[in-house]
Amino acid sequence: MKIISANWLVTCDENNSIIKNGAVAFDDKIQDIDTLSNIEKKYPNIQIEKLPKNSVLMPGLINSHVHLEFSGNTTTLKYGNFYSWLNSVIKHREDLINKANSKLILSKLNKMKKTGTTTIGAISSYSFDLDACVKSPLNKVFFCEIIGTKGDMIDTLFADFKDRLSIAKKYKSKNFIPAIAIHSPYSVHPFLVRETLKLAREENLPVTSHFLESKEEFEWLHKDEGSFVEFFKNFLGQEQSVTRPMEFLNLFSNIKNLSFTHCVEASSTDFEKIKTLGASVNHCVTSNRLLNNTKLDLGKLKDIPFTIGTDGLSSNNSLSMFDELRNVLMSHYDKNVLEFATLLLRAATINGSRAMGLNKGSLSKDFDADMITFNLPDEIEDKEDLAMQIILHTKFVDKIIIGGEFV
Ligand SMILES: [Zn+2]
């Protein structure tokens, strides 16, 4: 067993407990968490790693939604309008994907680790990111993605998807969890949605899907109108949407670990359904700002838990969760900054963990020992400021512990 102590422990537990001068005893799971003086009394024979003044110890961050296969993009893709972005992705897809080889993806994963992320939900369209994901020490929920609406292609697409999933399943380990992503309601034929969800239920795999990311998607799904008309006609010879939003959501019953990404155009009825499904919402504020100039209405979520995702570098300039948290904090300027910062640290830890069916994201007994440490630039007088100051000032972390090991 190892023990580490810090000035501040941010537990992200049920009560949002903050322990001043606290310590954590752990092996691969967290065994004990208490004040340093109590831990010293309880474990007199174990050497304690004492972190310096203004140090913080908290659960590792969980990035619930990222597309690593688009890590090659910096300045190529068009932002400002979802439809222009989509067309630019189609135009540059080959080049971008070729650029994102394992070496590049591994370097991005390494930077994610240094910026405090210990777990990712990786949406994999082609499994070109598999090799890098397997090699990285981060915890991965590896979402093999299904996409395609053309009736005559269904068998081929489903066979290809099952191949990718079965290869991913060969790498299953305590830090690599195979899972299923449905691309979106507009891009996946209901037959494929039904069949992949059947697999998810049989094998108890976590599931995620993009949902109502843009106005264009809303108009197409509800009314077969808008810019998507041209897109579907030109690329797929399709004049009507394959589904309606509620029909799509209805297919997701009895999925244990389920999340929907974006939801910026979802209605209150959609959110009621998402709540009934026991799903979480992955909030990707930077991506939504860049592609759509819109933002998720957190008020509409009521008590649906939300998580934080960076989305890919196809719609973000950074995969750092602290960069993303700063953006979320600044974007929702109607919220009290202190309370909201506390909520955001939970969203980026325990909520991400629950959305993907993990046992992580909290400094609590029997949780996986995934932790990060860093130092604040100066003292904090009032502990209610702590979460906000962490988000404002943290760029890189000092120590990263995954499954009880320093990595
Ligand atoms: Zn995405």
Side-chain angles (χ1 to χ4, degrees):
M1 195 153 71
K2 299 166 195 153
I3 300 178
I4 188 165
S5 80
N7 265 181
W8 297 102
L9 302 195
V10 179
T11 65
C12 300
D13 68 5
E14 291 307 318
N15 308 312
N16 280 325
S17 318
I18 289 170
I19 303 173
K20 198 170 179 189
N21 298 319
V24 175
F26 62 97
D27 40 39
D28 63 330
K29 306 262 183 236
I30 290 169
Q31 297 299 341
D32 205 347
I33 171 161
D34 208 332
T35 59
L36 175 60
S37 57
N38 284 344
I39 292 279
E40 279 173 327
K41 276 177 225 149
K42 283 193 254 183
Y43 308 94
N45 300 321
I46 300 179
Q47 206 194 338
I48 299 178
E49 171 147 11
K50 290 181 182 168
L51 299 177
K53 208 174 155 197
N54 303 321
S55 54
V56 177
L57 174 67
M58 66 171 286
L61 300 176
I62 298 180
N63 184 345
S64 61
H65 186 90
V66 58
H67 301 257
L68 296 165
E69 288 162 320
F70 284 92
S71 293
N73 179 59
T74 49
T75 57
T76 307
L77 297 176
K78 193 112 184 87
Y79 294 156
N81 169 284
F82 187 81
Y83 187 56
S84 314
W85 174 79
L86 189 61
N87 280 309
S88 76
V89 169
I90 288 167
K91 185 173 166 196
H92 298 286
R93 187 170 49 192
E94 287 295 316
D95 286 349
L96 289 176
I97 283 185
N98 290 336
K99 237 191 241 181
N101 55 24
S102 286
K103 194 174 159 222
L104 182 86
I105 296 177
L106 263 172
S107 77
K108 301 296 178 192
L109 286 166
N110 195 34
K111 190 153 181 207
M112 290 168 92
K113 189 185 83 177
K114 287 182 177 158
T115 50
T117 299
T118 53
T119 299
I120 57 169
I123 316 298
S124 176
S125 306
Y126 317 98
S127 289
F128 295 155
D129 50 350
L130 178 67
D131 176 57
C133 279
V134 169
K135 285 178 181 151
S136 163
L138 296 186
N139 303 301
K140 288 81 46 176
V141 177
F142 192 78
F143 289 100
C144 296
E145 188 175 62
I146 181 94
I147 188 166
T149 54
K150 266 182 97 98
D152 54 355
M153 287 290 288
I154 280 177
D155 292 339
T156 317
L157 292 167
F158 193 48
D160 171 69
F161 164 80
K162 281 196 289 190
D163 277 353
R164 280 185 285 123
L165 183 63
S166 74
I167 293 167
K169 283 197 304 206
K170 286 188 191 147
Y171 292 96
K172 189 176 175 176
S173 71
K174 79 174 192 251
N175 80 352
F176 185 95
I177 296 160
I180 290 179
I182 312 277
H183 180 265
S184 77
Y186 65 84
S187 61
V188 188
H189 194 284
F191 175 84
L192 288 174
V193 179
R194 237 175 271 127
E195 289 304 306
T196 44
L197 290 179
K198 209 166 112 188
L199 271 179
R201 283 183 202 101
E202 282 164 9
E203 302 180 29
N204 195 21
L205 303 174
V207 175
T208 191
S209 175
H210 296 109
F211 185 69
L212 284 172
E213 179 177 5
S214 64
K215 288 187 186 74
E216 289 82 353
E217 179 179 343
F218 180 94
E219 290 185 323
W220 174 248
L221 289 179
H222 281 284
K223 301 177 278 188
D224 305 310
E225 285 173 6
S227 318
F228 273 19
V229 174
E230 182 190 79
F231 178 82
F232 276 94
K233 213 172 170 183
N234 291 350
F235 286 101
L236 297 153
Q238 200 183 312
E239 289 186 0
Q240 277 187 330
S241 165
V242 288
T243 191
R244 302 285 171 223
M246 194 50 74
E247 276 173 10
F248 178 76
L249 291 177
N250 279 331
L251 299 173
F252 287 80
S253 58
N254 299 314
I255 301 289
K256 202 171 158 209
N257 303 115
L258 176 64
S259 64
F260 293 99
T261 303
H262 304 308
C263 302
V264 290
E265 299 295 333
S267 66
S268 300
T269 335
D270 295 332
F271 283 120
E272 273 164 35
K273 181 68 197 177
I274 288 170
K275 185 173 156 30
T276 321
L277 292 169
S280 303
V281 169
N282 299 319
H283 185 24
C284 305
V285 83
T286 310
S287 175
N288 299 148
R289 201 272 170 265
L290 293 178
L291 304 195
N292 300 318
N293 201 20
T294 52
K295 154 177 97 176
L296 176 66
D297 182 351
L298 291 173
K300 275 193 188 162
L301 293 185
K302 299 199 174 125
D303 43 8
I304 298 169
F306 73 93
T307 72
I308 307 296
T310 56
D311 220 342
L313 289 172
S314 39
S315 56
N316 203 325
N317 61 338
S318 168
L319 300 179
S320 155
M321 281 289 278
F322 281 114
D323 285 346
E324 189 66 21
L325 283 167
R326 277 185 284 279
N327 289 350
V328 191
L329 191 70
M330 297 304 171
S331 299
H332 295 275
Y333 44 78
D334 52 326
K335 306 257 179 220
N336 173 287
V337 76
L338 300 180
E339 290 163 15
F340 191 50
T342 301
L343 186 71
L344 288 185
L345 290 188
R346 288 183 64 82
T349 54
I350 185 73
N351 289 6
S353 167
R354 286 187 183 142
M356 299 191 282
L358 307 173
N359 181 41
K360 303 177 181 298
S362 178
L363 302 185
S364 301
K365 190 171 161 40
D366 298 328
F367 275 61
D368 294 349
D370 295 344
M371 300 181 277
I372 52 174
T373 78
F374 47 90
N375 290 334
L376 289 166
D378 207 343
E379 286 178 29
I380 285 186
E381 205 172 278
D382 192 343
K383 72 177 178 186
E384 74 163 8
D385 298 346
L386 185 61
M388 177 194 68
Q389 299 294 10
I390 286 172
I391 293 176
L392 291 179
H393 291 286
T394 313
K395 303 264 191 308
F396 292 94
V397 299
D398 297 325
K399 293 184 196 304
I400 304 122
I401 300 162
I402 297 178
E405 301 295 331
F406 289 81
V407 294

